[in-house]
Amino acid sequence: RKEVEQDPGPFNVPEGATVAFNCTYSNSASQSFFWYRQDCRKEPKLLMSVYSSGNEDGRFTAQLNRASQYISLLIRDSKLSDSATYLCVVNMLTGGGNKLTFGTGTQLKVEL
Amino acid sequence: DVKVTQSSRYLVKRTGEKVFLECVQDMDHENMFWYRQDPGLGLRLIYFSYDVKMKEKGDIPEGYSVSREKKERFSLILESASTNQTSMYLCASSLSWAHEQFFGPGTRLTVL
């Protein structure tokens, strides 16, 4: 089983739609969680950190479910500019120390 | 704004050549990382460093070495480039493991 798993997509949605991505992780000792966004041929950039209580930033909401070991990202009122790949990132505590593991990403395409 | 720069955007080398990829960050970050990104495999950690002259192997260190002589600079070295090292190489830095990573623009390396 992969340490961090995401549905690769692509998710093709119309403008204005609500879309949700899930990400599961295998290590219960994971400590911190992030969603990054990566545009085509660009570097990843932080979209938001994910906190235990859940957090919201405008149209974006992130949730963490430690019991089921998954995090989610909800995007409301999708815009064309939201088209990108969304990477789930988990900071795990291992015997060798901290380890950041990236998921392979979920591709989102927002269409007119 | 944090800035992470990489020495080249595109690089073409021949099999067996020694290749140096340079990365510089301007925010006095402790941690620096080298990843490679390949389609379907996502970002994979090659090496990281949490202090000057310190280095730790990531998930795929074979065929690579690194150097961190100064805090702001982290170099990735391919001692003898091979075709399976053709990839996008991304450098990142962060204040700590719990903080976001800032990425450079990437170097697309082709080994012929």
Side-chain angles (χ1 to χ4, degrees), chain B residues 36-85:
Chain B
R36 62 179 283 179
Q37 187 172 31
D38 301 287
L41 296 175
L43 275 152
R44 293 181 291 166
L45 181 64
I46 304 171
Y47 266 97
F48 66 96
S49 168
Y50 52 88
D51 202 353
V52 175
K53 296 194 187 294
M54 305 302 288
K55 60 186 179 185
E56 294 285 343
K57 292 180 180 179
D59 296 319
I60 51 162
E62 297 78 19
Y64 303 94
S65 62
V66 290
S67 171
R68 191 158 181 209
E69 296 297 317
K70 293 184 178 181
K71 192 174 185 180
E72 67 271 18
R73 188 179 296 270
F74 192 35
S75 303
L76 181 69
I77 303 145
L78 287 67
E79 294 290 340
S80 177
S82 62
T83 54
N84 63 11
Q85 292 178 309

Side-chain angles (χ1 to χ4, degrees), chain A:
Chain A
R1 183 186 171 188
K2 285 184 183 176
E3 291 179 303
V4 178
E5 282 202 77
Q6 294 183 252
D7 182 340
F11 283 60
N12 298 309
V13 303
E15 214 177 3
T18 295
V19 62
F21 308 136
N22 280 340
C23 167
T24 58
Y25 59 94
S26 60
N27 187 333
S28 59
S30 298
Q31 298 185 306
S32 40
F33 309 86
F34 308 88
W35 282 102
Y36 279 70
R37 172 196 167 124
Q38 186 171 24
D39 293 296
C40 189
R41 298 188 176 278
K42 298 276 192 174
E43 72 274 20
K45 291 186 180 178
L46 181 71
L47 178 65
M48 56 200 305
S49 301
V50 187
Y51 304 118
S52 295
S53 55
N55 46 305
E56 190 173 306
D57 182 4
R59 297 181 294 108
F60 299 85
T61 300
Q63 295 276 353
L64 167 63
N65 185 319
R66 283 193 184 271
S68 301
Q69 294 181 205
Y70 77 84
I71 65 173
S72 63
L73 178 68
L74 183 78
I75 305 175
R76 288 180 298 279
D77 189 23
S78 301
K79 311 287 184 195
L80 293 174
S81 57
D82 293 334
S83 297
T85 296
Y86 291 84
L87 304 172
C88 166
V89 185
V90 178
N91 179 19
M92 304 179 183
L93 188 60
T94 69
N98 282 280
K99 180 183 174 186
L100 266 179
T101 302
F102 284 75
T104 53
T106 298
Q107 190 180 10
L108 172 65
K109 295 181 180 178
V110 182
E111 301 160 334
L112 285 171

